[in-house]
Amino acid sequence: MPPKVDSAHPTGAVVFFFAVFVASLFAFVYVLWDFATDVVLGFLIAAICRPLYLRALNGLHGKAWLAAGLVTSLVGIMVAVPAIYLVTSLSQQAAAAYVIVHDSLEGPAVQEALRGEGWFGRRAEGVFNLFGVEYSAETVRAGASNLVRAAAALLSTQLNAIVANVLAVFYHFAMMLVVVYYGLLDGPSFKRRMFDLSPLPDVEEELIVQKFKDVGIAILLGNGVASLMQGALGGLAMWFAGLSSPVFWGVIIAIFAFLPLIGTNVVVVPATIYLIMDDRWVVAVVFFVFTNLQGMFIDNIVKTKLMGDRMQMHTLLVFLALLGGIAAFGFAGLLYGPLVAALFVTVVELYERVYRLQLFARSRN
């Protein structure tokens, strides 16, 4: 039998207990910190796949372990196959992108435009002079080279980390799938246990968990799928336009598609300008119109349909959260940044609805 626990404790015992509790919590988080991304992604993917799991559970006559295993295997295949293709293609194109773009600027039509000659060159020189910037072949070539070098360095750093730590990548991927499996199998009981341990009312706990879930699903399902679609279509458009390294630029488009105030035009506009400088006017117009139309369609219809009302945060806050998340956590910040912002927004909402009134009432008493 477990020992009897006395409900009345002296102050010293209570203080000591909470000191031990905080220390053990810190130690637990420290031990599991390397798996934080695996756990967060695993539970979010489990939440997204829960309707599919329930259907499989019904079809398999209540065999929960089998339903969870089938859904987890499906997730593994859907993530692993595209990821392997992307890493293989990018490792080849990222290194060559700088050289290819540098060589592309050496064409006769482009060189003429860079010298300020021709229709495009004269107008570009006028715009540059308006802002007090010298327009020359060297200036434009250096700017384009620096842009491509920065983009290639960003992806190369991540790719080198993946290639150099293949076993670690597979290990973390397997850990994420384990979390998905148990998230499907025991997710509700995990949540109930958390609620029992928390001193907050169940309604407030549910609000925080639901906000986390909604924002996480909006990022993965809404922004994630929509950005991948924009990257794929943008890369395909660049391939049809005869531009080099379409997979590399498609990934860059997908990354910038996450950012609501920047978007895909960071790549599309320079590519269109290059096509105009190369005297491919019709291709430039078709490329620009197609990429912007597909971007508007995905942003306003596909993304809205996938996200619904989940991302109830101001666009500027989402933008800052994404940039701050990337600065703090790298690519994982695309997920962590909005989640931290969602927690802040939810706590502020609870303060306004509940705790501000209570604090005001206590201060008056």
Side-chain angles (χ1 to χ4, degrees), residues 32 43 62 116 119 192 261-262 278 285 289 292 324 338-340 357:
L32 297 182
F43 277 116
W119 184 91
R192 184 65 260 166
L261 300 182
I262 296 180
D278 202 32
V285 171
V289 170
N292 276 275
L339 286 178
V340 171
L357 297 175

Side-chain angles (χ1 to χ4, degrees), residues 78-93:
M78 290 179 65
V79 173
V81 173
I84 292 172
Y85 169 75
L86 276 179
V87 170
T88 304
S89 300
L90 283 175
S91 60
Q92 299 169 352
Q93 294 195 12

Side-chain angles (χ1 to χ4, degrees), residues 18 38 51 53 71 91 95 112 120 124 136 164 211 215 289 296:
F18 278 105
D38 309 335
Y53 164 73
V71 174
S91 60
E112 179 183 307
F120 180 86
S136 65
K211 190 69 175 180
V215 171
V289 170
M296 287 189 290

Side-chain angles (χ1 to χ4, degrees), residues 83-92 94-95 155-170:
I84 292 172
Y85 169 75
L86 276 179
V87 170
T88 304
S89 300
L90 283 175
S91 60
Q92 299 169 352
L155 280 183
S156 295
T157 301
Q158 301 297 324
L159 289 171
N160 289 337
I162 291 173
V163 173
N165 300 283
V166 174
L167 290 178
V169 170
F170 279 109

Side-chain angles (χ1 to χ4, degrees), residues 85-170:
Y85 169 75
L86 276 179
V87 170
T88 304
S89 300
L90 283 175
S91 60
Q92 299 169 352
Q93 294 195 12
Y98 171 76
V99 176
I100 293 172
V101 171
H102 185 272
D103 292 344
S104 299
L105 295 175
E106 300 298 327
V110 176
Q111 283 295 306
E112 179 183 307
L114 293 179
R115 290 193 299 269
E117 302 169 2
W119 184 91
F120 180 86
R122 288 192 296 272
R123 281 153 183 79
E125 186 175 20
V127 172
F128 272 66
N129 291 336
L130 185 64
F131 290 95
V133 179
E134 179 190 2
Y135 180 82
S136 65
E138 291 74 20
T139 304
V140 177
R141 190 183 296 109
S145 298
N146 289 336
L147 174 65
V148 178
R149 188 184 291 112
L154 174 68
L155 280 183
S156 295
T157 301
Q158 301 297 324
L159 289 171
N160 289 337
I162 291 173
V163 173
N165 300 283
V166 174
L167 290 178
V169 170
F170 279 109

Side-chain angles (χ1 to χ4, degrees), residues 9-21:
H9 292 82
T11 304
V14 173
V15 172
F16 180 76
F17 168 78
F18 278 105
V20 172
F21 176 77

